[in-house]
């Protein structure tokens, strides 16, 4: 079954404690992306990757890091989370008529 | 810089009728893709339809069609024969580039569609 998986689905953490949200796809897609969704602000792109070892900033990259060492995985790293990073995060992969989103990760930073 | 504008925060439609959700975009790129997504109240994001900037024909996927007017920079979503399950938030989005050279994505603020029985 074609899918994008994200883990964890829910996370409550404290300011400054490094965390990683994993994202994996099984469709051999080259394009992968991370978004955050906040009430009233729609989805905003954090980072995207066009292929292995190729990543670039979206509109809101501050406070986030990514890596793309393998085609299937695109983890999102928050090295020192802050309360303003409390949000719903989506990973997505694909292009054109073949696009899939992960189920989302609801992150709360206290 | 890219910009997506969805001017209808909320829309109502009667079940079985058609509805058009508006989307205008702004970009200086020649190659780009336009997308529509659905987000039900359960929160998942569902891809609906895609239109490439060089595609001459409007995209269709079942009950969804994209009314692409390149000169006017509009990419409206038309849902025919609305169903109660179509009640959701709908996002228009644009992505720079093409399949082999894809770039940044930008989303609109969304339109909440309510289908009335």
């Amino acid at each position: 079954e074609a899918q994008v998986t994200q883990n964890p689905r829910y996370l409550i953490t404290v300011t400054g404690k490094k965390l990683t949200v994993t994202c994996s796809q099984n469709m051999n897609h080259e394009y992968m992306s991370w978004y955050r969704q906040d009430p009233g602000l729609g989805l905003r792109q954090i980072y995207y990757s066009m292929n292995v070892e190729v990543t670039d900033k979206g509109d809101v990259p501050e406070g986030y890091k990514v890596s793309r060492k393998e085609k299937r995985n695109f983890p999102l790293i928050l090295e020192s989370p802050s309360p303003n990073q409390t949000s719903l995060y989506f990973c997505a992969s694909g292009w054109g008529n073949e696009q899939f989103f992960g189920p989302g990760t609801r992150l709360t930073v206290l | 810089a890219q910009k997506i504008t969805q001017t209808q925060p909320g829309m109502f439609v009667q079940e079985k009728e058609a509805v058009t959700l508006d989307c205008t975009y702004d970009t200086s790129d020649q190659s780009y893709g336009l997308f529509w997504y659905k987000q039900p109240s359960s929160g998942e994001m569902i891809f609906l339809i895609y239109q490439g900037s060089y595609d001459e024909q409007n995209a269709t996927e079942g009950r969804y069609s994209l009314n692409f007017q390149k000169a006017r920079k509009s990419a409206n979503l038309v849902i025919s024969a609305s169903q109660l399950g179509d009640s959701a938030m709908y996002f228009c989005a644009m992505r720079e580039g093409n399949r082999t050279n894809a770039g940044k994505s930008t989303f609109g603020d969304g339109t909440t569609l309510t289908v009335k029985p």
Side-chain angles (χ1 to χ4, degrees), chain A:
Chain A
E1 180 192 353
Q3 61 180 354
V4 177
T5 56
Q6 287 180 236
N7 283 292
R9 294 287 314 277
Y10 303 91
L11 180 61
I12 300 174
T13 189
V14 296
T15 298
K17 185 176 181 182
K18 181 179 179 179
L19 66 93
T20 299
V21 184
T22 64
C23 173
S24 183
Q25 50 100 358
N26 63 358
M27 296 158 283
N28 203 37
H29 288 156
E30 290 170 344
Y31 190 91
M32 296 185 74
S33 184
W34 276 103
Y35 303 90
R36 62 178 288 173
Q37 184 176 25
D38 302 293
L41 292 177
L43 276 82
R44 294 179 292 168
Q45 191 177 45
I46 304 170
Y47 271 94
Y48 63 94
S49 169
M50 287 181 281
N51 215 326
V52 175
E53 303 291 4
V54 181
T55 63
D56 208 344
K57 297 176 181 177
D59 286 328
V60 288
E62 295 79 18
Y64 305 94
K65 285 176 60 177
V66 292
S67 68
R68 188 94 182 269
K69 293 183 170 54
E70 310 164 274
K71 204 170 189 178
R72 63 182 293 124
N73 295 323
F74 190 43
L76 180 69
I77 303 155
L78 286 73
E79 299 235 326
S80 184
S82 62
N84 64 13
Q85 293 179 297
T86 292
S87 188
L88 176 60
Y89 291 86
F90 286 102
C91 179
S93 76
W95 173 261
N97 284 316
E98 187 174 302
Q99 292 188 61
F100 296 85
F101 276 75
T105 295
R106 191 165 292 280
L107 172 66
T108 302
V109 184
L110 302 175

Side-chain angles (χ1 to χ4, degrees), chain B residues 83-103:
Chain B
Q83 302 171 355
L84 295 178
D86 293 335
S87 293
M89 177 76 88
Y90 289 81
F91 292 99
C92 178
M94 179 170 61
R95 184 177 296 170
E96 299 170 337
N98 53 40
R99 181 180 292 275
T100 58
N101 188 26

Side-chain angles (χ1 to χ4, degrees), chain B residues 12-89:
Chain B
F12 290 90
V13 65
Q14 206 68 35
E15 193 178 8
K16 299 181 185 175
E17 292 186 350
V19 62
T20 298
L21 305 184
D22 293 341
C23 173
T24 58
Y25 63 93
D26 191 20
T27 182
S28 56
D29 294 329
Q30 296 300 309
S31 180
Y32 52 88
L34 295 158
F35 306 83
W36 278 92
Y37 303 91
K38 173 183 178 182
Q39 187 175 40
S41 58
S42 50
E44 71 267 31
M45 291 290 293
I46 303 166
F47 164 72
L48 295 178
I49 197 166
Y50 157 78
Q51 178 89 38
S53 59
Y54 292 112
D55 294 342
E56 294 185 350
Q57 299 223 351
N58 287 342
T60 60
E61 288 287 344
R63 294 187 299 111
Y64 304 108
S65 61
L66 198 154
N67 185 0
F68 181 45
Q69 297 188 43
K70 194 170 183 177
R72 298 179 64 179
K73 293 189 174 178
S74 76
N76 298 339
L77 177 71
V78 180
I79 305 174
S80 63
S82 297
Q83 302 171 355
L84 295 178
D86 293 335
S87 293
M89 177 76 88

